[in-house]
DNA sequence: GAAGAGTACTTGCAAAATGCAAGTGGTTGG
DNA sequence: CCAACCACTTGCATTTTGCAAGTACTCTTC
């Protein structure tokens, strides 16, 4: 039990923003969510391979928190018991608009557009289409990997 | 010079999300932004009075970072040189959709709806109207308090 | 014009979170 | 059975936070 802050340990106030930040207000949590949404990553080692180089203990902690809060779910890899899949629950999938809003702001106001040009272009071109394409990709992965997607 | 992370000190990667999180990925920064948008707060002591009880050193640091990154601007209080106004720049005002997305998610998935019911109601009722009302309030404050709003 | 209150901070120190390197225990392929 | 892989855990140094106290400046009141 090393989850930095358990499910609803201490909330700083009853404000939505403060509560959302209690869950996602750090430099790593949303990067994991990004990896699932936009890079179709689902395993521990895949998250580790992201360019930000998250440490294994931090990743482990964040996955636990997200699991404990029902944002993601896990499943043993069907082909290998020592591997796991992590995937978004409905609660987690509902975060996409937030990520899109972040990306839109960043695309305009952050100086460095080198990476992710494709995302920006798709964002500018047709946001709703991007949104549905990302969700389609997620659901397609689920159909192939999660036995009974409830 | 105690700003935790200067303007573009070290970026973890060239990903938008990672860059946005380098700026806003903590438990306090967006609460200051929330206070300006939704509670019409503009002074140090007003931010301190929020229910989350931010410490003075943290607040001071966050204001510096936001200033350094052009998200907010400051101005000496016209009636008292020892007071300051902090207000959103265009860059800062553009954060509203992100906050709205956070609030929408929280309104649905966070268990504690006690506070901020009004915001949720307005969000459900007519999001665009809420958005423009918040922006109107901000601009009205500026018209009254910022001499030449450029 | 000195005293007191208010404002926006800074400082110092303890506690917590993070970053890094190394290790652990189970699983699988050969 | 052994080496490689995988998802972690552990230990420890560094960084960030939280808290209490202090400081410098301004304005108000006598």
């Amino acid at each position: 039990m090393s989850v930095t802050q358990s499910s609803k340990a201490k909330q700083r106030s009853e404000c939505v923003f403060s509560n959302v930040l209690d869950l996602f207000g750090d430099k790593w949590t949303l990067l994991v969510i990004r990896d699932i949404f936009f890079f179709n990553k689902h395993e521990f080692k895949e998250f580790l391979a992201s360019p930000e180089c998250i440490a294994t203990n931090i990743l482990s902690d964040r996955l636990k928190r997200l699991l404990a809060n029902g944002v993601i779910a896990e499943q043993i890899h069907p082909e290998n018991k020592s591997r796991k899949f992590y995937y978004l629950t409905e609660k987690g999938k509902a975060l996409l608009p937030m990520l899109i809003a972040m990306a839109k702001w960043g695309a305009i106001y952050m100086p460095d557009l080198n990476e992710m040009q494709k995302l920006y272009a798709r964002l500018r071109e047709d946001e709703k289409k991007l949104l549905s394409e990302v969700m389609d990709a997620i659901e397609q992965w689920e159909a192939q990997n999660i036995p009974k997607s409830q």
Side-chain angles (χ1 to χ4, degrees), chain A:
Chain A
M1 269 297 153
S2 70
V3 180
T4 313
Q5 227 175 330
S6 86
S7 307
K8 52 188 72 176
K10 51 174 179 209
Q11 61 175 189
R12 293 177 294 171
S13 80
E14 296 205 325
C15 167
V16 226
F17 296 102
S18 126
N19 277 275
V20 171
L21 289 171
D22 283 343
L23 229 178
F24 299 107
D26 75 276
K27 300 210 183 307
W28 297 111
T29 306
L30 284 179
L31 292 185
V32 174
I33 306 294
R34 168 205 66 179
D35 281 349
I36 304 179
F37 269 124
F38 298 107
F39 299 105
N40 213 33
K41 297 188 175 189
H42 294 272
E43 296 187 48
F44 198 89
K45 62 173 175 176
E46 291 177 319
F47 300 129
L48 285 183
S50 291
E52 294 84 12
C53 297
I54 188 169
T56 56
N57 53 347
I58 307 289
L59 177 56
S60 176
D61 182 83
R62 294 306 184 276
L63 290 172
K64 271 184 199 153
R65 288 187 57 187
L66 290 172
L67 284 166
N69 285 281
V71 176
I72 60 173
E74 67 184 346
Q75 191 199 271
I76 306 289
H77 195 293
E79 293 167 5
N80 186 327
K81 286 180 202 166
S82 73
R83 287 163 71 188
K84 276 183 189 174
F85 279 144
Y86 299 96
Y87 58 98
L88 296 165
T89 60
E90 288 308 312
K91 193 172 174 179
K93 288 180 198 169
L95 288 168
L96 187 53
M98 217 171 91
L99 291 185
I100 295 290
M102 286 174 60
K104 283 176 80 173
W105 187 89
I108 298 172
Y109 293 102
M110 305 295 312
D112 40 54
L113 296 165
N114 315 4
E115 203 87 354
M116 307 208 92
Q117 286 287 11
K118 275 181 206 161
L119 179 67
Y120 303 147
R122 288 166 70 197
L123 215 46
R124 258 179 277 116
E125 219 169 278
D126 191 344
E127 188 182 328
K128 288 205 198 290
K129 194 180 159 203
L130 166 61
L131 228 120
S132 66
E133 280 172 6
V134 169
M135 289 309 298
D136 283 354
I138 291 276
E139 269 147 30
Q140 194 186 325
W141 180 90
E142 281 179 19
Q144 290 172 356
N145 294 282
I146 310 299
K148 37 171 183 197
S149 199
Q150 203 194 14

